[in-house]
Amino acid sequence: MNGLGFLLSIVSSLLFPGIIAVTKAKLSGRKGPGIFQPLFDAARLFRKGSIYSVTTSIIFQIAPVIYFASIVVALLFMPFGQYKGFLSFEVDFVFFSYLLAVGKFVMIIGAMDTGSGFEGMGANREALYSMLVEPAFFILMGSLALLTNHTSFYSLFVHIHFDSVLSYLIALLAIYLFVQIAMVENSRIPIDDPKTHLELTMIHEVMVLDNSGFDMCLIHLATGLKFALYGGLIANFIFPDTWPLYTQIAVFLMVNLLFVIAVGFLEAFRARNKLEKNPKWILTLSSISMVVFLSVLVIVHKYFLE
Amino acid sequence: MYLIVFQLLFVLTFGIFILSKRHMSYFGLFIQLGLAGITSYWSVDVLIHGTVFERELLISFWGNPLEIKVDSLSAFFILVLNFTLLTGTMYSAGYLKPYINEKNRAEFGLHYFSLVWLHISMLLVCMLRDGLAFLVVWELMAVSSFFLVIFESEKEETVKAGIYYLLEMHVGLVLIMAGFIYAFVQTGAVFSFDGLTVYFARFHPFPLFLLFFMGFGIKAGFIPFHTWLPHAHPAAPSHISGIMSSVMIKMGIYGILRVLTYIHTDLLAIGIFILIISAISGLLGVMYAIMQHDLKKLLAYHSIENIGIIGIGIGIGLIGVAKDIPVLAALGFTGGILHVLNHSLFKSLLFYSAGSIYMRTHTRHIEHLGGLIKRMPVTALLFLLGAMAICGLPPFNGFISEFLIYFGLFKGLRTADFQTDLTILGAIICLALIGGLAIFCFTKVFSIVFLGTARSRLSENVKEIRGGMIFPKILAGIMIVTIGIFPLYFVKAAGKVAGLYVEDIPLIIQNAPPLSNVSRASLVFILLTAFLWFLRRMQQKRVQIEHGPTWGCGYSGADPAVHQYTATSFAENYRELASPILKVDKHFELLKEEEIFPRPRSFKTETGDMLEENLIEKPIRRIIYWMEKAAMFQTGNLQHYIMYAFLFAGLIFLLTIFKLI
């Protein structure tokens, strides 16, 4: 049963892009594609041939494979209530975060491999933004570790439900941060708008202009997986491990659904940041997580007010 | 027996001069293999059994027999330096081949002689405890590395960088000497490291430690004592830059760690001091690195960054000891010390690769390179390996040491008090930022140097280097991957060293960090990647694969060579963010009004080191200014000089009358 979180995340990841697209279409009064359309796209890409730029090298070809693998392995850490992930050890979130960084690293150099000005632009921004968002994640995990006295994804989430009511307040802020970090990691609104015309998209989508066929299929699937990664973590905040299993599964899926619908809403009603504002916006996340950390310090009574 | 052979090898080094130029490297390697073999044997023995190896050398020194002493700290550093020096000498054989016709036999001989003596002096630095003998071998290390740096002495800038280096090393030497002398005068104990015990037990340790820290810190390259690194590393031949950056600067770390073994009080202040200096070194090192266009200068700044990471480990280790948080102490020290090994591996790999690039393209300026992966695929992939390792990415070795430090930090959070928690938070933020910045930097370097298309003629039509030069890099690469996937024995070895500072270390190391789980996760990642790659191969066999130009948004005339990203443009958005701490000089000529038909002109940006400018160059300029003012007394007129003498005599007279002296 240890892989329950992983399996459920995989399942929901397949539907994520579709649900977001449908939500956005409905909200803007369009008919929109079916929920399974992204899956059909992926299946078609899997059957298709590829075109490779003569400028590219092996790096370009292996980058999507490593990227996809890094996200799947990161998903293996996904706990589910009382069940651990397939992989779970102390301070596993450091491994998790650095693994995602491996994926980003190879995608950045993969984009640079094409020698395209557009892709260079995207790659460069991806590098900058993922650097800026890194501290927010670590401070947040540090606060949770401090609060629960546990340091793996699994035990963090199990123990967060045993503390006082205050820990739910922290969880609320943490959820907000997770949603925003997910948006940065996926280069979605407000950082970037993936649904604009390709050349106008500023970050992630512009990095993959030259990918095609199998590689593109992996990249599409990876987008869904990356959402599932954060959706799953958020869901783990919500339900305690004492609930019966089927309720947990239902809640897990519901939270995931809500998460993507929220993303859809956000994307439908919110405009993209001005690009030069992005760094500041991302740094705000770090300061919010710093606030979380300080509040946790207060909660665990480590302040000197006498 | 081994001891006699060990000393015989010292004498054998003179044999280098009688050989022909082609054979010197082999003979040097032969001697070094002997040295490394014997000392590694001692060191492994010490690390396994936890004993201290003590012998008396046959040479006596000022009438005292010279004693060598290898404990686990020495043993660890000896093993690290043996490996890199051997790969360095192997690499040098190929790297110096183009110079065989340019340089005469004496120059070549001096180079290899210095190289072997650099090895000997570093071994002795790790082994000798006697103060005077230590200072002598420390000086020997500086001088031999100076000769190695100025190998291309026909270039003016090389000699200048070399002298700059030598000067800074002597400032360091004076500070260390002052430290020894002060302790000796205050206590009257033996003039050696062991004599420091008495001093530190009796007096407040921080001031004397500060003296030693500055002395050793100049070698190690902590900011603000880092200014020699960005000059000396680009000037030196690549195998020397590799050796200096990988192991010689670690001798500074060794010195600091050695002094720390004698300090048992005041550790909190020292720990916080080291942590702050290291955090600044780590952050500023990588922040300056991003803006560099000279490949080797960039790597030099990365050495500063990594020294910072090592220092962060040591700093939080000390705080852990002082605050009695065993897990913080144990993993801080272990992580920091393991990073010494890790950095020596990937940094030597990166410098050797940079050397190979320089050898083939004759430029270190990354804006002139590009597309090299197609011409030098093995070098490119090895460089990528080093780059990913230095960024601390799994499954490579850099991750392991950073993971240990993170582990200590996160586990220590709960038991620490308020202030320590804030310190830990600061350390976590720093490490996370350093990691992100390193990724930014190395994606830039790798992309600009190896990917895309050639940016100038220099990188067209180059050939891959020969196997002899690839071999040492592959050795380093194998070590990087091995430590990354099977870290246990290496962590245990580093843990033995950390045991000098923290009690119960084997227990904490054995139980706490989930190293086997980390290796399992890494293996899963590698296997999954391999499987997907296999799947992709299968899929691509069935479908049609085409080749075409890079997508240019429908515009097919686009030439990647012209509109691909450059290093400057890649760093542009970062430069905007970091502008407060960077000093970017733009050199260009404005268009004049009467210039109707503009001439071709150039635009050049250069990033100076603001700290070097403010801390070294400005004060020196100020001193020179006042010195020149003072020169007005030097009139060359005999009457004036006689007058000065009279004035001086009068002054003494007056002061004596008023009982001022």
Side-chain angles (χ1 to χ4, degrees):
Chain A
M1 292 297 277
N2 273 354
L4 198 58
F6 174 72
L7 295 175
L8 285 173
S9 297
I10 293 279
V11 173
S12 43
S13 82
L14 296 173
L15 300 175
F16 274 180
I19 299 173
I20 294 178
V22 170
T23 319
K24 277 171 77 177
K26 294 285 179 233
L27 286 172
S28 50
R30 286 180 287 119
K31 203 172 152 206
I35 285 185
F36 299 105
Q37 190 57 46
L39 281 184
F40 297 144
D41 290 347
R44 197 178 64 235
L45 282 169
F46 184 76
R47 291 193 303 272
K48 271 196 157 187
S50 304
I51 303 183
Y52 290 105
S53 159
V54 285
T55 319
T56 59
S57 62
I58 176 93
I59 300 292
F60 180 77
Q61 309 205 10
I62 203 166
V65 170
I66 297 181
Y67 175 61
F68 187 81
S70 74
I71 296 173
V72 172
V73 175
L75 260 179
L76 290 176
F77 288 96
M78 180 68 61
F80 185 85
Q82 67 272 45
Y83 303 111
K84 290 180 180 177
F86 273 123
L87 296 168
S88 170
F89 47 86
E90 287 192 276
V91 200
D92 52 3
F93 50 81
V94 173
F95 191 90
F96 171 91
S97 168
Y98 273 72
L99 196 62
L100 291 182
V102 175
K104 279 180 226 155
F105 188 102
V106 289
M107 283 311 277
I108 291 166
I109 58 175
M112 292 296 286
D113 198 9
T114 59
S116 147
F118 297 113
E119 289 176 53
M121 202 156 63
N124 152 254
R125 287 174 185 147
E126 172 98 341
L128 185 72
Y129 297 160
S130 49
M131 165 194 100
L132 292 175
V133 80
E134 205 109 311
F137 180 77
F138 277 103
I139 302 170
L140 181 59
M141 296 317 285
S143 333
L144 296 180
L146 182 59
L147 182 67
T148 61
N149 197 15
H150 285 271
T151 46
S152 72
F153 274 129
Y154 158 72
S155 47
L156 270 181
F157 289 128
V158 167
H159 288 91
I160 207 164
H161 300 286
F162 287 131
D163 265 347
S164 63
V165 188
L166 286 170
S167 67
Y168 280 93
L169 281 177
I170 297 298
L172 208 64
L173 263 179
I175 289 172
Y176 171 78
L177 281 172
F178 266 125
V179 173
Q180 301 296 4
I181 291 173
M183 297 313 253
V184 180
E185 294 275 339
N186 282 307
S187 308
R188 307 291 288 219
I189 280 178
I191 295 299
D192 188 22
D193 187 355
K195 282 295 167 231
T196 48
H197 180 55
L198 274 182
E199 292 85 24
L200 294 178
T201 315
M202 298 298 177
I203 307 165
H204 189 258
E205 308 301 309
V206 81
M207 283 168 66
V208 297
L209 281 177
D210 263 276
N211 292 84
S212 54
F214 185 84
D215 300 343
M216 198 62 199
C217 168
L218 286 185
I219 292 168
H220 274 318
L221 291 178
T223 309
L225 285 173
K226 232 176 176 182
F227 266 116
L229 210 56
Y230 290 95
L233 290 182
I234 293 167
N236 269 299
F237 269 112
I238 311 283
F239 58 83
D241 58 344
T242 43
W243 290 2
L245 189 60
Y246 53 88
T247 337
Q248 284 182 350
I249 294 178
V251 171
F252 186 88
L253 293 175
M254 280 295 290
V255 172
N256 269 324
L257 188 66
L258 273 175
F259 169 60
V260 279
I261 290 179
V263 170
F265 262 84
L266 211 66
E267 298 212 330
F269 290 111
R270 194 163 171 188
R272 191 184 69 206
N273 279 348
K274 240 167 130 181
L275 206 64
E276 69 225 41
K277 279 201 181 147
N278 273 341
K280 272 185 210 153
W281 190 86
I282 298 172
L283 284 176
T284 325
L285 297 181
S286 293
S287 39
I288 297 175
S289 55
M290 212 102 91
V291 171
V292 176
F293 188 88
L294 292 177
S295 348
V296 170
L297 271 181
V298 172
I299 290 176
V300 296
H301 304 296
K302 279 193 190 172
Y303 54 97
F304 293 87
L305 285 179
E306 57 269 11
Chain B
M1 166 63 194
Y2 288 123
L3 202 67
I4 296 169
V5 178
F6 182 60
Q7 289 168 82
L8 259 180
L9 286 170
F10 294 4
V11 184
L12 267 184
T13 53
F14 291 95
I16 286 174
F17 289 107
I18 57 169
L19 289 168
S20 77
K21 283 188 266 187
R22 272 168 213 286
H23 294 115
M24 282 171 183
S25 62
Y26 300 111
F27 189 65
L29 189 64
F30 166 72
I31 296 177
Q32 282 179 283
L33 272 174
L35 289 169
I38 293 169
T39 50
S40 303
Y41 170 70
W42 291 339
S43 305
V44 170
D45 193 54
V46 165
L47 278 179
I48 289 176
H49 297 111
T51 51
V52 177
F53 176 89
E54 282 178 81
R55 288 285 187 285
E56 274 180 14
L57 286 186
L58 300 180
I59 324 156
S60 68
F61 193 73
W62 256 259
N64 301 324
L66 208 51
E67 195 188 37
I68 57 172
K69 207 167 173 184
V70 182
D71 62 354
S72 52
L73 177 64
S74 313
F76 188 83
F77 277 84
I78 287 171
L79 289 175
V80 170
L81 73 90
N82 277 342
F83 183 83
T84 303
L85 273 150
L86 288 180
T87 55
T89 310
M90 280 181 218
Y91 182 79
S92 75
Y95 186 77
L96 293 184
K97 234 170 220 165
Y99 295 93
I100 278 188
N101 298 328
E102 289 174 29
K103 296 269 171 188
N104 61 33
R105 220 173 81 177
E107 283 172 306
F108 246 74
L110 185 62
H111 188 78
Y112 277 106
F113 185 71
S114 309
L115 186 56
V116 178
W117 272 93
L118 179 66
H119 194 164
I120 294 174
S121 58
M122 279 201 271
L123 287 173
L124 289 176
V125 160
C126 292
M127 290 176 179
L128 294 174
R129 297 290 176 81
D130 180 64
L132 206 52
F134 178 83
L135 289 171
V136 169
V137 287
W138 187 264
E139 171 66 11
L140 202 60
M141 181 167 80
V143 173
S144 54
S145 53
F146 165 72
F147 282 122
L148 292 169
V149 168
I150 58 162
F151 180 65
E152 289 182 82
S153 54
E154 65 280 358
K155 288 185 191 162
E156 197 192 335
E157 59 202 284
T158 304
V159 177
K160 228 170 142 184
I163 288 174
Y164 192 92
Y165 164 69
L166 198 63
L167 277 178
E168 288 218 20
M169 284 310 103
H170 281 88
V171 176
L173 181 78
V174 167
L175 289 169
I176 298 169
M177 204 181 331
F180 275 122
I181 291 174
Y182 187 73
F184 178 69
V185 169
Q186 288 289 315
T187 60
V190 275
F191 191 78
S192 80
F193 274 114
D194 297 323
L196 297 178
T197 325
V198 188
Y199 179 87
F200 287 129
R202 233 185 275 168
F203 300 94
H204 211 48
F206 192 73
L208 185 65
F209 173 77
L210 197 65
L211 210 55
F212 276 113
F213 183 86
M214 287 197 295
F216 289 122
I218 290 179
K219 194 65 138 192
F222 281 105
I223 285 177
F225 316 118
H226 67 289
T227 44
W228 65 271
L229 282 127
H231 295 286
H233 284 344
S238 293
H239 55 286
I240 300 305
S241 331
I243 289 170
M244 280 174 47
S245 178
S246 303
V247 289
M248 204 191 67
I249 61 171
K250 307 292 168 38
M251 291 300 116
I253 298 287
Y254 167 81
I256 291 168
L257 283 171
R258 174 61 68 203
V259 173
L260 281 175
T261 52
Y262 300 104
I263 302 180
H264 301 288
T265 50
D266 221 7
L267 288 176
L268 185 65
I270 294 174
I272 288 176
F273 170 75
I274 295 183
L275 183 65
I276 290 173
I277 291 273
S278 310
I280 294 172
S281 306
L283 276 175
L284 287 186
V286 63
M287 286 175 92
Y288 280 124
I290 293 177
M291 295 305 294
Q292 302 305 322
H293 297 315
D294 181 329
L295 187 53
K296 282 169 80 177
K297 204 169 184 175
L298 181 146
L299 291 176
Y301 274 107
H302 268 287
S303 299
I304 300 168
E305 173 224 323
N306 279 284
I307 285 290
I309 295 177
I310 294 169
I312 288 177
I314 295 172
I316 62 159
L318 283 171
I319 294 174
V321 174
K323 290 275 180 178
D324 200 16
I325 309 168
V327 67
L328 192 63
L331 289 160
F333 272 115
T334 312
I337 288 163
L338 185 64
H339 204 74
V340 170
L341 167 64
N342 288 343
H343 177 242
S344 82
L345 294 171
F346 48 65
K347 189 45 71 70
S348 54
L349 174 58
L350 288 170
F351 263 120
Y352 300 160
S353 305
S356 308
I357 295 164
Y358 178 67
M359 191 176 165
R360 286 295 184 235
T361 62
H362 306 290
T363 181
R364 299 189 307 257
H365 198 293
I366 55 176
E367 303 277 37
H368 294 161
L369 301 167
L372 284 181
I373 193 170
K374 294 185 202 76
R375 320 220 174 275
M376 306 170 78
V378 183
T379 305
L381 290 180
L382 284 166
F383 189 92
L384 180 62
L385 177 70
M388 290 181 85
I390 201 174
C391 292
L393 297 175
F396 304 114
N397 64 350
F399 175 74
I400 302 297
S401 37
E402 289 190 29
F403 179 79
L404 290 178
I405 298 178
Y406 273 121
F407 190 90
L409 288 171
F410 280 110
K411 292 297 278 184
L413 269 175
R414 185 71 178 202
T415 34
D417 57 22
F418 184 71
Q419 285 94 337
T420 316
D421 267 344
L422 287 185
T423 319
I424 290 177
L425 175 74
I428 291 175
I429 296 175
C430 277
L431 275 180
L433 268 178
I434 290 172
L437 284 161
I439 289 177
F440 189 95
C441 189
F442 274 95
T443 47
K444 181 194 93 168
V445 180
F446 183 75
S447 312
I448 302 300
V449 173
F450 291 103
L451 305 179
T453 52
R455 286 175 179 75
S456 80
R457 284 258 181 86
L458 293 171
S459 49
E460 285 169 3
N461 305 321
V462 294
K463 278 189 311 232
E464 178 62 278
I465 49 163
R466 269 189 299 270
M469 289 170 75
I470 291 176
F471 179 66
K473 287 191 261 181
I474 288 182
L475 279 184
I478 290 173
M479 286 295 284
I480 287 174
V481 177
T482 314
I483 299 180
I485 301 178
F486 306 106
L488 194 61
Y489 288 105
F490 301 96
V491 174
K492 269 189 189 162
K496 280 262 163 64
V497 185
L500 292 175
Y501 308 91
V502 196
E503 285 161 22
D504 299 335
I505 230 165
L507 215 66
I508 301 167
I509 297 292
Q510 221 113 67
N511 298 334
L515 289 171
S516 55
N517 284 316
V518 171
S519 1
R520 197 175 310 144
S522 301
L523 281 175
V524 170
F525 175 54
I526 293 169
L527 288 178
L528 185 65
T529 308
F531 170 72
L532 282 169
W533 182 248
F534 173 74
L535 199 70
R536 183 178 175 281
R537 288 284 290 276
M538 290 291 105
Q539 192 265 354
Q540 298 221 323
K541 266 186 195 155
R542 291 191 294 109
V543 296
Q544 195 186 357
I545 303 296
E546 289 170 52
H547 294 275
T550 297
W551 169 243
C553 289
Y555 174 59
S556 55
D559 175 11
V562 177
H563 75 168
Q564 66 187 344
Y565 254 52
T566 60
T568 313
S569 50
F570 195 93
E572 177 61 22
N573 55 6
Y574 160 80
R575 190 189 61 75
E576 276 167 27
L577 273 186
S579 55
I581 67 133
L582 299 173
K583 186 172 77 74
V584 181
D585 295 323
K586 293 178 180 168
H587 304 285
F588 61 98
E589 210 182 321
L590 280 174
L591 212 59
K592 289 191 204 82
E593 221 173 277
E594 68 273 11
E595 222 178 325
I596 302 166
F597 302 106
R599 292 174 290 107
R601 49 188 77 221
S602 64
F603 179 84
K604 195 177 151 202
T605 60
E606 210 176 359
T607 314
D609 189 328
M610 209 159 72
L611 288 169
E612 187 182 350
E613 170 77 21
N614 289 332
L615 289 174
I616 308 259
E617 278 172 13
K618 267 194 192 158
I620 286 180
R621 255 181 268 144
R622 191 39 61 87
I623 291 170
I624 290 177
Y625 174 79
W626 285 111
M627 292 285 191
E628 277 169 359
K629 288 267 180 220
M632 66 181 260
F633 293 109
Q634 192 188 12
T635 52
N637 201 333
L638 188 64
Q639 286 92 330
H640 287 165
Y641 293 146
I642 293 172
M643 185 181 74
Y644 296 154
F646 270 114
L647 282 178
F648 182 72
L651 186 73
I652 297 288
F653 177 68
L654 282 176
L655 286 175
T656 324
I657 283 188
F658 292 110
K659 293 205 160 63
L660 287 171
I661 50 173

